[in-house]
Amino acid sequence: MDWLLCHYSSHFFRGQIVELLEQAGCMIPEKKWFTNFYTRGNRGCASIYLMLEELFNSDKLQPGQKIFCFVPESGRCTTAYMMLTAVENTHKPMISQISNFREVPEASPLDSVKPENSHSPQAYLLRELTWIWLKCDREIRSVLIVRKLYRGELTIEDYQAFLCNLRPQAVEGARWIARAASNMSDFRLRSTFIGHAQDEHRDYQMLEQNYVSVGGEVAKIVEYDKNIGSNALSAFIFHQASRENPVDLIDG
């Protein structure tokens, strides 16, 4: 491969990825890594697309080069890979070519992890996790702002309101993580919590920057009242973080 595009949410995880690649004997030279994390920040599920777009417009690509994309997603415990090949643009596709395009059916991405015994604990766990994710996805799509996003009806005002309501959760993230750390008896886990709090304690500033970039005033998002859902979520998480050894919050 000629290029590695790897998404990670903070510089801390880059070091972990490098360490694991070296332990597995499959380290990719860092001169082949391409990232815009340090200039664009963590853009969540859009990060890999923004990296591809920036690499595409960097004049560094050559026809025939292989681009390996690696996207770990800790919240869902999933990992996605893509291998792309750069090709020379010799002509622009005609509308008729696009309209005649047909998708070629592909094997399920779960085929490689299907247990041989369909009645094994592993098979049961896989089915249950898949069902939970499908239910979660369906419920998320029923939320008004998400429906508007899928329909192409999302407005700047909707996005501003979303940022205003999200900021209080981002502000309190590092606080409850630090509280959870103070209640961990295991020193290693306590250090992990503290490190994670350090990584996230300024995330809310990105939301403020986004808000200003779409026409908002920083004073308004800073003074915005926390909604009832954020109040309930914060109360629950702080309650959990105040208990002894709140290990259930590690992936919170």
Side-chain angles (χ1 to χ4, degrees), residues 84 96 121 188 197:
L84 307 175
S96 59
R188 181 180 59 84

Side-chain angles (χ1 to χ4, degrees), residues 176-177 180 193 196 236-243 245-252:
W176 69 254
I177 296 172
F193 271 71
H196 193 41
F236 170 75
I237 293 183
F238 274 102
H239 172 74
Q240 293 296 103
S242 301
R243 302 174 67 183
N245 293 319
V247 293
D248 56 321
L249 296 180
I250 287 179
D251 197 35

Side-chain angles (χ1 to χ4, degrees), residues 93-114:
M94 302 295 291
I95 297 298
S96 59
Q97 290 177 301
I98 297 175
S99 61
N100 291 332
F101 174 78
R102 293 184 300 171
E103 286 193 7
V104 178
E106 296 184 357
S108 167
L110 296 177
D111 282 345
S112 60
V113 296
K114 284 182 178 177

